[in-house]
Amino acid sequence: MIKAITGTKDILPSEISKWYHLEKTVRDIFNYFNYVEIRTPIFEETSLFARSIGEATDIVSKEMYTMIDRGGTSITLKPEMTAGVVRAFIEHSLGEKSSLNKLFYISPMFRQERPQAGRLRQFHQFGAEALGSSSPLLDAEMIEMAFLILKKLGLNDIFVKINSLGTPQSRETYKNELRKFLSDKKEKLSEESKLRLEKNVLRILDSKSHQDQEILNNAPSIFEFLDSSSLEDFDIVKKYLTDLAIPFEVDTRLVRGLDYYTKTTFEIISNKVGSQSSLCGGGRYDLLVEELGGKPTPGVGFAAGMERILLACENEKSLNLPERNIDIFIVRLDKELSFKVAELASNLRRNQLIVEYDYLDRSVKAQMREANKLNSKFAVILGGEEFSKGELILKNLSNGEQENISLNDFNKLVSRVKEWH
Ligand code: HAM
């Protein structure tokens, strides 16, 4: 039997209401902040990701789904959205049409990571990008939107971590200092951190090794090297978050796994999802548009993992969604009435009612059972003596009350069902 590829997951009908609820919450909140949806292709030229996310990052060096298409172009399934959004922003001159572009997305992403709870190879992100302003108020707005969405989903055991990575110049100075500090301790570092010392020294800061973290306790902090504009902006972000009553902590070891960041970075962590605890992450990327060939345009954004968020909701038991139900199940007493039933169903559906009936020639008892199984609010019973009198029976399945309605009084039938809410 052919099974789904490791690290991919079917979203089954029994789970879909959670996804609808999550997507609706996301769309509502982005809408209040005036973010508008953008959809970009599932695959892009490989070089787009290599140039934006960074050659030395785990995503680009180990995790991308890349192939050569029949035309000889190297294409990659998107591992994240920021690169594609910035590419579209430049390609369609969105910066010329509007001085600030506030964009959001909901989309599948692809990374060939080792699958585990909360880590998939095809997963879904929602996220936002604001292009055109370097105001730190937008940095705080990103954190606020992410926080509000998570709160709206009932998540309580979450916390916000923020940091500043400064300008490339201040970061370069810091990287050199950190490398200097770590090089005589190299032998004590984990194997992974040893490799990162030359290529990606900042990532050592979020090493999972206990010993590495102990060594880092005496390491210089990035805040000793930040330029004044980064420090000022960071203060504004902190002030705004405090005013908005969004609790946060400063974590000077929060470096993120993508190279395009400048200044503010942040993550929201859940205590309820095990090791893959980061529900969302983001930050400012003031040089990315220029690096990808556009006019210098500052940007800031974040993305959140939807499977992880749903896992956190499940573990916090925060979503109590009503079970799906339908409005009417039409029970047919006589086989000869099949066509009448189909016609009635069609007319009711055209009046925005959710209607189901039996397609399997089942007995009356089995049809009633099905009506209950589908949580139908009403049964319409068609046939028998009533039918010969030109009537049908409308039965309220939650209290058992029933009334006869003339077959000619279709409007009465519709209004009875719609009234009952
Ligand atoms: P990221 O930290 O790589 O950032 O991913 C954001 C979120 O996507 C993570 O916090 C996590 O919840 C989820 N995620 C990542 N990988 C997986 C996976 N393999 N399985 C399940 N969930 C996963 C970005 O993608 C940046 N583009 C965010 C950003 C937007 N920065 C600025 N703008």
Side-chain angles (χ1 to χ4, degrees), residues 59 63 79-83 105 109-113 116 118-129 256-258 260-261 267-268 276-285 300-309:
I59 298 179
E63 297 167 1
E80 59 108 50
M81 269 295 274
T82 314
Y105 46 83
M109 306 289 159
F110 306 85
R111 298 184 193 177
Q112 191 159 9
E113 296 194 73
Q116 61 181 87
R119 190 159 73 190
L120 291 149
R121 292 181 168 174
Q122 174 174 341
F123 59 100
H124 297 77
Q125 282 186 344
F126 66 80
E129 313 289 343
R256 312 268 305 121
L258 305 96
Y260 47 62
Y261 292 111
E267 281 188 10
I268 302 183
Q276 299 308 306
S277 58
S278 173
L279 299 186
C280 77
R284 190 158 268 293
Y285 47 88
V300 60
F302 81 95
M306 297 170 77
E307 284 81 359
R308 269 185 213 180
I309 290 175

Side-chain angles (χ1 to χ4, degrees), residues 226-239:
L226 288 185
D227 54 288
S228 58
S229 131
S230 298
L231 284 170
E232 274 162 33
D233 286 359
F234 196 62
D235 281 342
I236 296 174
V237 173
K238 285 192 293 185
K239 182 183 174 326

Side-chain angles (χ1 to χ4, degrees), residues 188 199 227 238 308 337 391 413:
K188 290 194 197 131
K199 277 214 230 141
D227 54 288
K238 285 192 293 185
R308 269 185 213 180
L337 291 177
E391 289 177 341
L413 174 61

Side-chain angles (χ1 to χ4, degrees), residues 8-27:
T8 68
K9 253 179 97 178
D10 300 307
I11 299 171
L12 297 172
S14 56
E15 300 161 290
I16 203 68
S17 59
K18 289 188 292 188
W19 284 84
Y20 286 164
H21 180 73
L22 172 55
E23 287 163 17
K24 182 171 183 325
T25 308
V26 166
R27 285 176 196 282

Side-chain angles (χ1 to χ4, degrees), residues 361-406:
D361 268 345
R362 281 177 285 194
S363 68
V364 173
K365 211 166 147 197
Q367 291 178 64
M368 284 308 281
R369 249 199 321 266
E370 186 65 14
N372 286 323
K373 199 170 142 202
L374 293 174
N375 279 324
S376 187
K377 293 176 206 154
F378 290 89
V380 161
I381 300 159
L382 208 62
E385 214 177 289
E386 272 77 15
F387 189 77
S388 48
K389 284 196 285 177
E391 289 177 341
L392 53 75
I393 300 173
L394 175 66
K395 181 169 182 179
N396 183 325
L397 292 179
S398 55
N399 60 15
E401 281 172 19
Q402 60 181 60
E403 78 176 293
N404 290 12
I405 296 178
S406 159

